[in-house]
Amino acid sequence: ETFVEHIHRVVYELWPSPFRDADGRPLPAGDEGLGYAVARAEADEQEPWRAPRRYEDRAQGPEYDLDGNIVEPTEYMINPAGFTIHSAIHAAREDAKFVLHVHTDAGIAVASTKEGLLPISQHALIALPNLAYHDYEGIALDLDERERLVQDLGDKKALMLWNHGTLAVGETAAQCWMMIFYLERACAIQVMASAQGREHLRIAPDHAIETVKQQQAIASGVGAMLAWPGCLRKLDRESPG
């Protein structure tokens, strides 16, 4: 099983989500499974990307190049909006071998607030140094948006798309998964905490925010190495094959 198959199984089968299909499997993206997990082919940088889009399509999604041309005959199609977003990042960021974008309730809720992600939890403090924001321009069908999206992402590992959802990149599937996990958990915590009233939110002190930022820089990638094998073991246990 390849890394992209791993990340798709982890996302679509282990993500804590209220959305489930007819077989009880979670649909983490919120929009009937229309989230996007894309990995760059390893053999040659000119090769296409494999883009499974839904649980039942995992590892069978179309392979396509940066111009959106499907390379091999397939019964599946490319989501045009997903192509716009992912092709932009893959073309601009050599380190972005994995890109994961989801539409969860919590992620969209926070992306629909004026403040965005607030430093009110440890999860948020881990995500914030890696987080950038991109303005909503409508459904991502305009290829011209790619330049603006890449500019907004910069060298960050996570992106909040205002009024839209969340996105993470990684050099490995494990890094990509952990980044979206912390970002989405931070969003869920913020939504729950905000239900008590914004006036009751406790913002983390500046010195703690800076400390976590420094710790992140020193221990970058360690969390992924620790958590990813456990995710795969749980997945194999609960959903073998």
Side-chain angles (χ1 to χ4, degrees), residues 1-15 58 98 172-175 177-178 223-241:
E1 189 173 45
T2 66
F3 265 145
V4 70
E5 291 170 329
H6 276 330
I7 197 170
H8 234 257
R9 285 214 297 148
V10 170
V11 170
Y12 280 83
E13 296 184 34
L14 292 185
W15 194 287
R58 70 177 188 229
F98 292 82
T172 67
Q175 292 172 358
W177 160 251
M178 287 306 299
M225 288 188 291
L226 291 173
W228 185 248
C231 286
L232 298 182
R233 288 194 299 271
K234 181 178 180 182
L235 187 60
D236 289 335
R237 196 167 57 245
E238 297 186 357
S239 182

Side-chain angles (χ1 to χ4, degrees), residues 197-231:
R198 289 298 180 96
E199 67 276 12
H200 296 298
L201 294 181
R202 182 183 292 276
I203 302 297
D206 291 342
H207 68 83
I209 295 174
E210 184 59 31
T211 296
V212 175
K213 182 178 180 180
Q214 293 173 4
Q215 292 169 334
Q216 276 284 92
I218 295 171
S220 177
V222 173
M225 288 188 291
L226 291 173
W228 185 248
C231 286

Side-chain angles (χ1 to χ4, degrees), residues 125-147:
L125 267 58
I126 291 172
L128 279 168
N130 300 291
L131 184 63
Y133 292 85
H134 174 65
D135 282 339
Y136 185 61
E137 300 185 20
I139 297 174
L141 300 176
D142 183 359
L143 295 182
D144 290 342
E145 185 180 351
R146 293 190 291 188
E147 182 178 351

